[in-house]
Amino acid sequence: MGNCAEKRAEAKVLEVIALSRRDAELAAVGGAQRIELVSAMEKDGLSPAPELVEEIVNTVPIRVRAMVRLESGFQTARLPELAQSIIDFRNAGAEGVVFGYVNSAGRLDRRVMNELIGALDEQGTYTVHRAVDHCADYLQAISDTLDLEPAPSVILTAGSARGVADGLRNLAAAITRYPHVLSMMQVGGGLELAHVPMLRSLGVTMFHVGSGVRENGTFDSDISPAKVREWLEAIS
């Protein structure tokens, strides 16, 4: 089991935010290993249509994780709809799904998380989406996430709600306290190329980018395969 974890930790992964089939195609041309498929980036990324998930899975050679989020923020009262989204995305062929929720006390919402995990099939994998960054106690949130059953395959985190630049110290502290989090930790949220050397020195191998691989640095422009390749070279 330890050898498998080590091999997994050594694999470098670049995940790119995509909003369309064209985004997925351009990310694949650039060599990205995975996309996080979302809609409505003006609301920080909501669930895409299951039909789009299926179209991309059937036409583009790239792994797809679909966002499970129906409104902005990290709280929800729409559990049945969210659970149905997970079923729809898995039926559409998504490799995994992405979700993360925080309760009113500022801790990871274990009730919601467990309910959504229960909607996954036996092969279902999931990413915890930056919920840990929005909890009152970051290290406690990491601990709570690691205690989920089954655990996520990916924890997407910037270390801070304000982004990677403010979260580097928290990321380092989490890795020191919970070394096995490295096999799940994917850093993203205000991530810049300048952050990569320090993150690589900490052992981070999974990276998540959005506007940083766009032609004009905004979600209104196309993904640039050349910029994707630049990121791949930086993390290698």
Side-chain angles (χ1 to χ4, degrees), residues 77-112:
R78 301 171 69 177
L79 267 175
E81 294 171 81
L82 292 170
Q84 185 60 51
S85 291
I86 289 175
I87 294 168
D88 292 343
F89 293 149
R90 293 292 293 149
N91 288 340
E95 176 213 47
V97 292
V98 184
F99 54 83
Y101 290 95
V102 179
N103 64 27
S104 58
R107 288 188 66 166
L108 191 75
D109 196 326
R110 296 288 294 271
R111 181 186 67 84
V112 170

Side-chain angles (χ1 to χ4, degrees), residues 13-17 36 74 127-134 138 154-168 171 184-192 195-196 199 204-211 231:
V13 175
L14 181 68
E15 179 180 88
V16 173
I17 296 173
E36 179 189 82
F74 289 86
T127 297
V128 172
H129 173 257
R130 292 203 64 195
V132 292
D133 297 343
H134 292 263
Y138 180 75
V154 176
I155 302 171
L156 174 58
T157 176
S160 167
R162 293 181 296 276
V164 174
D166 289 297
L168 287 169
L171 294 172
M184 309 172 197
M185 182 179 280
Q186 177 174 266
V187 176
L191 179 65
E192 299 177 3
H195 300 136
V196 171
L199 292 169
V204 175
T205 59
M206 294 193 288
F207 299 83
H208 170 94
V209 292
S211 58
W231 272 90

Side-chain angles (χ1 to χ4, degrees), residues 12-174:
K12 312 298 189 302
V13 175
L14 181 68
E15 179 180 88
V16 173
I17 296 173
L19 292 92
S20 65
R21 173 177 168 174
R22 178 170 174 79
D23 281 353
E25 291 171 339
L26 291 170
V29 168
Q33 290 90 354
R34 186 168 63 219
I35 59 169
E36 179 189 82
L37 188 63
V38 306
S39 66
M41 279 307 298
E42 69 276 9
K43 295 184 178 180
D44 294 326
L46 304 183
S47 294
E51 295 78 12
L52 178 59
V53 174
E54 185 172 19
E55 179 184 3
I56 292 172
V57 167
N58 290 334
T59 59
V60 185
I62 196 166
R63 290 180 282 159
V64 179
R65 292 208 176 187
M67 178 64 70
V68 181
R69 195 181 193 199
L70 298 174
E71 58 225 323
S72 58
F74 289 86
Q75 296 185 351
T76 186
R78 301 171 69 177
L79 267 175
E81 294 171 81
L82 292 170
Q84 185 60 51
S85 291
I86 289 175
I87 294 168
D88 292 343
F89 293 149
R90 293 292 293 149
N91 288 340
E95 176 213 47
V97 292
V98 184
F99 54 83
Y101 290 95
V102 179
N103 64 27
S104 58
R107 288 188 66 166
L108 191 75
D109 196 326
R110 296 288 294 271
R111 181 186 67 84
V112 170
M113 298 296 288
N114 287 333
E115 189 80 19
L116 297 182
I117 290 167
L120 289 165
D121 56 38
E122 289 183 3
Q123 285 74 43
T125 57
Y126 69 102
T127 297
V128 172
H129 173 257
R130 292 203 64 195
V132 292
D133 297 343
H134 292 263
C135 290
D137 184 326
Y138 180 75
L139 292 180
Q140 181 63 59
I142 292 291
S143 178
D144 289 344
T145 302
L146 293 173
D147 285 342
L148 292 170
E149 183 60 42
S153 61
V154 176
I155 302 171
L156 174 58
T157 176
S160 167
R162 293 181 296 276
V164 174
D166 289 297
L168 287 169
R169 184 173 297 179
N170 275 341
L171 294 172

